[in-house]
Amino acid sequence: MIYRETGNFVTNYFKDREIFPLKFDKVVVILGLLYLFLYVPTTSEYFLSAHVIPILAVGLATVGLNILTGLTGQLSLGTAGFMCVGAFGTYNLMLRVPDALMSLPFALLLSGIFAGLVGVIFGLPAIRIKGFYLLVSTLAAQYFVWWFFNSYAWFLNYESSGVVAIAPKFYDYWGLGNFLGVDMQGYPARYLLALVICIGLSYFAKNLLRSNTGRNFMSVRDRDIAASVMGISVPKAKLLAFFISCFYCGVAGGIYSFLYIGNVDLMIYEVDRSFTILFMLIIGGLGSISGSWLGAIFVYEFPIIFTWVGDFIFQGAFNTAVVENVSNMVYGVFIIALLIREPGGFAALWATTKQKLRMWPYPH
Amino acid sequence: MSDILKVENVTLQFGGVKAITDISFNVKEGEICAVIGPNGAGKSSMLNVINGVYLPQIGTVTYDGVERQSINPRDAAIAGMARTFQNIALFQGMNVLENIMTGRNLFMKSTWLEQGLNIGRAREEERVNRLAVEKVIKFLQIESIRKTPVSKLPYGLQKRVELGRALVAEPKILLLDEPMAGMNLEEKADMSCFILEINKEQGITTVMIEHDMGVVMDISDHVVVLDYGKKIGDGSPSEVMANQDVIDAYLGVSH
């Protein structure tokens, strides 16, 4: 048996903090990451564009919501609104800043910062209110952002249709594509950019979760009075959580618009999307970064796989309305079942499975 | 020795209910001061006033030479006050180690950016503070439950973890709200040893609310007795035991 903790002795506190303490895990993760990078030639453009890139985008938003809701305990329904700020921010940065100064990766991160600042403004009520009341405040953020971009056509460069297609020159990256001889607008290049950002930000979130900031966030979630008695500034922790979370959502919005659908469209960022991301978070597991990704994959892929099953087994018996309704019912059932049986979501199920395997075959 | 904490004429009201009426007492540096009294006497409210969870309507609290009518809990923590709660206020979603690590948050100077990237000061701080936490874990003999989620621990151990979380902040004064409530004899003996050791070896002034008279009389240097929000006794354990008002409050009085 390779997968055993026995014999793995931690000899100092640095080692005790490792994300993957087992050698086996480390090898698997490194191989997995390598595979993700070398994935492109083994797959089709269609699969990248229809499955992988959108999952990267919504998964990143789920990680962002996780920092706010899972880690800090502040409920939010403004996710899509903050994604919208990110998408519009990226578009305007690319459009209005001279090309020599701006490039898509930077525009994504900068517009993430815009989204973060907007998040802080709508997070201010969190200093005084909690729970469901805060939910209303973040819902207001969702509708305000939507109304704002709908009302001021400047942000869409006065495009009368309400949707702007993204110009090919935005994918130029200072001529990097020509230099390498790669089509930067093509899905493989888009995928790699999204992948690098998602891995980087997931690593950042994981570190944050294990550090003092993460512990401060969790203490605010679990007992805010005890947290303040221990010297943690509760308002500061809440606002910081809003900033970081909305930063993630903003970047995710930019990725969704620029690297997935290729246009900036307000209709994508309606409140339904906030709910979908909340489902991903709950199904995946509050407070776990890997859980957010699992939840995003499940919720995004379920309707696709369901349609596929319908096509193959029942000769296309399911039309889109059926698929959508069944999907919503399945999410509902999953959320209820998980809340009752395993509030930690998929992440906790995974941890339990690992624990059981570790004990196997002598569970006592 | 000088007084580290002076409570002067404190009155605390919730609407029409007077929780505390005009209470004054002093705590000397380095002593164990026990606050006792029947249920509803205002003991926990008194602690909450001292470290700023409640704001008194009248009166001041002088701590470490600074007189204040109110202090916010965070400033109290920065000034070196640490406390535990009557109904354990551990962070239920975290394990023992993380809970005690939060007690070190005031020692962490690195920014969230450094922590997220796991570079520079952040790495070193995690290690240095972990060493301090491990010392406390060893002192409280909870090494074996280091990585256990606190929600899975029995009550007595949770109380111990909470003491650890307060202790690891290296406070000047420790406020303990019923550290021995609900414990059996053995656990009480352990807890008493810890409190005495913290006080005598590390010289941390301790203010403690406790109901077990045996423990109070054994380990405290100074006892303050409250009843219905008023102070009815103040002095050494033997003085308080001889005080007629205290005896009346506890045993009742014939009318």
Side-chain angles (χ1 to χ4, degrees), chain A residues 152-176:
Chain A
Y152 295 93
W154 183 81
F155 289 101
L156 265 181
N157 206 20
Y158 301 104
E159 181 69 42
S160 56
S161 65
V163 181
V164 282
I166 291 161
K169 68 163 186 156
F170 288 169
Y171 297 100
D172 188 36
Y173 306 172
W174 293 320
L176 189 68

Side-chain angles (χ1 to χ4, degrees), chain A residues 84-99 102 107 111 114 148-149 152-158 164 166 170 258 264:
Chain A
C84 188
V85 175
F88 276 75
T90 313
Y91 176 67
N92 282 287
L93 281 170
M94 294 304 293
L95 185 70
R96 294 174 205 284
V97 178
D99 285 350
M102 193 47 70
S111 61
F114 289 155
F148 184 80
F149 288 124
Y152 295 93
W154 183 81
F155 289 101
L156 265 181
N157 206 20
Y158 301 104
V164 282
I166 291 161
F170 288 169
F258 275 73
V264 178

Side-chain angles (χ1 to χ4, degrees), chain A residues 13 16 207 213 215 222 231, chain B residues 74 93 115-116 130 134 147:
Chain A
Y13 295 132
D16 197 28
N207 276 333
T213 310
R215 286 191 296 267
D222 289 345
Chain B
R74 178 173 143 81
Q115 290 169 10
R130 176 77 189 269
E134 288 295 333
K147 298 264 170 99

Side-chain angles (χ1 to χ4, degrees), chain A residues 60-62 64-65 79 82-84 86 115 244-254:
Chain A
L60 190 62
T62 314
L65 183 62
T79 320
F82 300 124
M83 285 175 80
C84 188
I244 297 174
S245 161
C246 296
F247 171 82
Y248 276 64
C249 293
V251 175

Side-chain angles (χ1 to χ4, degrees), chain B residues 35-149:
Chain B
V35 180
I36 63 172
N39 287 326
K43 305 180 299 294
S44 292
S45 301
M46 196 64 242
L47 278 202
N48 282 335
V49 166
I50 291 174
N51 86 327
V53 177
Y54 292 159
L55 306 178
Q57 274 76 23
I58 309 171
T60 57
V61 175
T62 307
Y63 166 70
D64 218 11
V66 187
E67 185 173 329
R68 296 184 179 94
Q69 167 144 34
S70 65
I71 183 170
N72 74 42
R74 178 173 143 81
D75 291 337
I78 292 169
M81 278 191 205
R83 73 169 286 183
T84 66
F85 293 82
Q86 181 176 4
N87 45 355
I88 302 169
L90 285 172
F91 306 124
Q92 296 293 329
M94 303 195 221
N95 66 26
V96 171
L97 184 64
E98 288 168 329
N99 260 283
I100 302 182
M101 280 296 270
T102 50
R104 295 291 291 183
N105 78 84
L106 289 173
F107 297 84
M108 306 270 192
K109 303 289 178 218
S110 59
T111 60
W112 59 273
L113 276 171
E114 286 170 285
Q115 290 169 10
L117 297 169
N118 198 17
I119 51 167
R121 284 184 298 175
R123 276 172 73 89
E124 187 56 22
E125 272 179 358
E126 278 294 318
R127 198 181 66 86
V128 171
N129 288 302
R130 176 77 189 269
L131 287 174
V133 167
E134 288 295 333
K135 259 188 211 157
V136 169
I137 288 180
K138 193 170 177 211
F139 168 66
L140 295 173
Q141 300 162 9
I142 47 177
E143 292 100 329
S144 58
I145 55 165
R146 209 184 263 129
K147 298 264 170 99
T148 315

Side-chain angles (χ1 to χ4, degrees), chain B residues 215-228:
Chain B
V215 172
V216 169
M217 296 306 158
D218 266 357
I219 70 171
S220 52
D221 305 306
H222 170 198
V223 180
V224 175
V225 193
L226 308 185
D227 189 23
Y228 291 114

Side-chain angles (χ1 to χ4, degrees), chain A residues 49-223:
Chain A
S49 69
H51 296 254
V52 185
I53 299 175
I55 286 177
L56 286 174
V58 290
L60 190 62
T62 314
V63 172
L65 183 62
N66 201 351
I67 290 172
L68 190 62
T69 304
L71 219 53
T72 322
Q74 311 297 307
L75 288 170
S76 167
L77 272 181
T79 320
F82 300 124
M83 285 175 80
C84 188
V85 175
F88 276 75
T90 313
Y91 176 67
N92 282 287
L93 281 170
M94 294 304 293
L95 185 70
R96 294 174 205 284
V97 178
D99 285 350
L101 295 175
M102 193 47 70
S103 174
L104 190 53
F106 295 100
L108 286 173
L109 296 179
L110 268 179
S111 61
I113 293 174
F114 289 155
L117 295 176
V118 173
V120 168
I121 293 169
F122 284 98
L124 284 173
I127 295 173
R128 300 303 294 268
I129 56 179
K130 293 186 213 178
F132 286 111
Y133 306 100
L134 184 63
L135 207 60
V136 176
S137 157
T138 53
L139 199 59
Q142 165 76 40
Y143 282 105
F144 175 82
V145 166
W146 213 86
W147 169 84
F148 184 80
F149 288 124
N150 205 18
S151 307
Y152 295 93
W154 183 81
F155 289 101
L156 265 181
N157 206 20
Y158 301 104
E159 181 69 42
S160 56
S161 65
V163 181
V164 282
I166 291 161
K169 68 163 186 156
F170 288 169
Y171 297 100
D172 188 36
Y173 306 172
W174 293 320
L176 189 68
N178 284 336
F179 180 71
L180 293 174
V182 180
D183 174 18
M184 296 308 267
Q185 199 187 348
Y187 283 106
R190 293 192 196 184
Y191 162 70
L192 287 176
L193 177 62
L195 183 70
V196 168
I197 292 176
C198 287
I199 290 175
L201 287 181
S202 295
Y203 175 72
F204 189 89
K206 182 76 186 164
N207 276 333
L208 209 61
L209 194 145
R210 309 178 303 138
S211 72
N212 191 45
T213 310
R215 286 191 296 267
N216 288 357
F217 286 177
M218 289 190 277
S219 62
V220 169
R221 171 192 69 191
D222 289 345
R223 275 297 172 109

